[in-house]
Amino acid sequence: MRNTSKAVPKQALVGQNVSPPAGATVKLSTTDLNNLMQALDIDVIALTEILVPHGHRVEFGTIDVPGIHYNLSGVGRISINGGPTIPLSPHLLIIVPPNTPFMIEVDGGSRPLKLISRDCWTRQDGILRVAVPNEQPEIVQICGFFNASFGQSVRLFGELREPVIEQFEPADRIDLKLREAMDELLQQEVGVGAMTASLLKQIVVSLVRRSLRSCQRWTERFSILADRQVTRAFADMVARPGAAHSVQSLAHSAGLSRSAFMARFSDIFGQSPMAILRDLRMRQAAIDLTTTTMSVDVVALNAGYESRSSFVRAFRKAYNRDPSDYRRIAKEGKAQKDI
């Protein structure tokens, strides 16, 4: 099940294992990181419950989004993309990169491991459950498949190449958030998409916080999080998309010359600063159209457009419909869900 409330503009994929440019500092400021986390959009694709008994293994193919895998209980091991096995223990969290197969297995003594067949895979309301009937599970794991993006423009984990691994504790309550997300999907009440997205966002933010205290600092693997100077400018764009930004003002915010800023920004995002800013502004406009009663003219101004016609053209290009139609369709969809 995919929880979506709006169309998605063309995305830049960020997350390569890129070394920061010479002279760039890797430690993000608290303000920059807060701005980025506040604007982080989570799109929940599906949740999966995996229960593996002793002497069994389960294999998953590729899915084009990252997955959060949280080991609730039990010990076993996971192999990602055919690589070395990683021991699984309670409260271990792993983010598996997009398009990456993985296998979970639990020892069963001397006998060969049995593959859990697809006949044991059941689906209900967006939740996939993998379990062997009449067998007591050793590994109990909840997995959330999701997209995490800034303004629907930049996917944080889109090009992650290696798994992210962090050990949590029961007091961190990650398991409770995942179980609550599963309950939301099962109950299918009004606002289920917003609730499940909010719960997964809390987990991602907890993961970022943990990384900042960890010696591993996996956040430094991402080019957008490794180049503090470019990140400072991007965080300003994310926090204030409607401001009168220009390449020159953004370069000044980054503490770089115009040419150096353009080169480093384009190398990280694969697009120019103004192209990314346009996507961020469209996201702001989409939020205003669906959550406020502002006129289209006011929405345009709030998104940084002085001309209504320029705004409408940009919005139509991003979402394939006029702002008024976008608002009407969103309202009709909400009304249908409320019935």
Side-chain angles (χ1 to χ4, degrees):
M1 171 182 152
R2 181 169 185 148
N3 300 316
T4 53
S5 58
K6 49 187 177 290
V8 181
K10 293 180 180 179
Q11 294 176 322
L13 304 181
V14 173
Q16 297 92 332
N17 299 313
V18 178
S19 298
T25 54
V26 296
K27 186 176 180 180
L28 297 177
S29 74
T30 301
T31 299
D32 291 342
L33 198 55
N34 279 340
N35 287 340
L36 291 174
M37 290 300 100
Q38 185 173 350
L40 186 67
D41 289 326
I42 298 292
D43 178 21
V44 181
I45 309 303
L47 292 175
T48 301
E49 187 177 27
I50 301 174
L51 300 95
V52 185
H54 284 285
H56 287 76
R57 76 179 194 276
V58 60
E59 298 177 355
F60 284 81
T62 61
I63 183 171
D64 64 354
V65 295
I68 288 179
H69 298 258
Y70 191 79
N71 209 58
L72 296 177
S73 61
V75 294
R77 54 186 175 266
I78 183 171
S79 174
I80 299 172
N81 203 22
T85 58
I86 301 168
L88 291 174
S89 57
H91 306 291
L92 184 72
L93 187 149
I94 301 175
I95 291 189
V96 174
N99 298 305
T100 305
F102 64 94
M103 175 181 67
I104 297 173
E105 56 187 19
V106 178
D107 284 332
S110 58
R111 66 181 188 270
L113 298 181
K114 296 180 182 178
L115 177 65
I116 300 178
S117 71
R118 291 297 180 107
D119 294 338
C120 299
W121 296 30
T122 58
R123 189 181 298 275
Q124 179 184 0
D125 294 324
I127 295 178
L128 174 66
R129 191 171 192 267
V130 179
V132 180
N134 304 316
E135 290 277 1
Q136 182 68 29
E138 166 63 18
I139 286 289
V140 178
Q141 190 175 104
I142 295 180
C143 311
F145 296 96
F146 68 103
N147 270 320
S149 60
F150 297 109
Q152 298 287 5
S153 178
V154 179
R155 289 169 56 187
L156 177 60
F157 298 102
E159 291 296 317
L160 182 66
R161 301 181 190 279
E162 299 176 2
V164 171
I165 304 172
E166 287 289 345
Q167 180 66 56
F168 284 85
E169 302 298 332
D172 295 310
R173 303 171 65 85
I174 302 295
D175 54 337
L176 298 181
K177 292 181 176 66
L178 284 167
R179 288 196 181 280
E180 189 175 349
M182 294 186 75
D183 289 341
E184 283 289 334
L185 282 181
L186 288 172
Q187 293 170 13
Q188 287 294 302
E189 295 187 4
V190 174
V192 57
M195 283 295 293
T196 53
S198 173
L199 290 164
L200 250 68
K201 180 172 180 176
Q202 291 177 50
I203 295 171
V204 172
V205 172
S206 296
L207 188 61
V208 171
R209 287 178 175 175
R210 177 60 58 93
S211 172
L212 296 177
R213 299 194 299 267
S214 169
C215 61
Q216 299 181 44
R217 293 190 64 86
W218 60 264
T219 53
E220 295 170 11
R221 298 183 197 171
F222 303 99
S223 50
I224 178 57
L225 300 179
D227 189 334
R228 180 181 178 182
Q229 290 169 286
V230 171
T231 298
R232 185 187 304 131
F234 177 64
D236 192 23
M237 294 162 63
V238 165
R240 303 184 304 124
H245 297 295
S246 66
V247 173
Q248 188 61 48
S249 68
L250 291 170
H252 179 75
S253 175
L256 296 168
S257 69
R258 189 181 190 280
S259 59
F261 173 71
M262 281 289 292
R264 278 161 60 169
F265 192 99
S266 298
D267 183 58
I268 289 171
F269 292 96
Q271 297 186 58
S272 70
M274 291 299 103
I276 295 295
L277 179 62
R278 183 168 56 248
D279 284 344
L280 293 172
R281 286 175 168 174
M282 291 303 98
R283 173 221 181 227
Q284 181 63 55
I287 291 174
D288 288 344
L289 287 167
T290 54
T291 61
T292 76
T293 58
M294 295 179 185
S295 68
V296 172
D297 288 336
V298 174
V299 170
L301 287 172
N302 199 41
Y305 288 81
E306 295 183 2
S307 165
R308 176 184 174 124
S309 59
S310 297
F311 167 70
V312 170
R313 283 196 301 271
F315 194 90
R316 189 185 296 131
K317 184 177 181 180
Y319 293 103
N320 298 315
R321 57 178 60 97
D322 290 338
S324 297
D325 289 338
Y326 184 91
R327 170 176 272 170
R328 175 181 56 79
I329 292 171
K331 287 184 176 179
E332 290 174 353
K334 182 179 184 301
Q336 187 67 30
K337 288 182 179 179
D338 290 342
I339 293 176

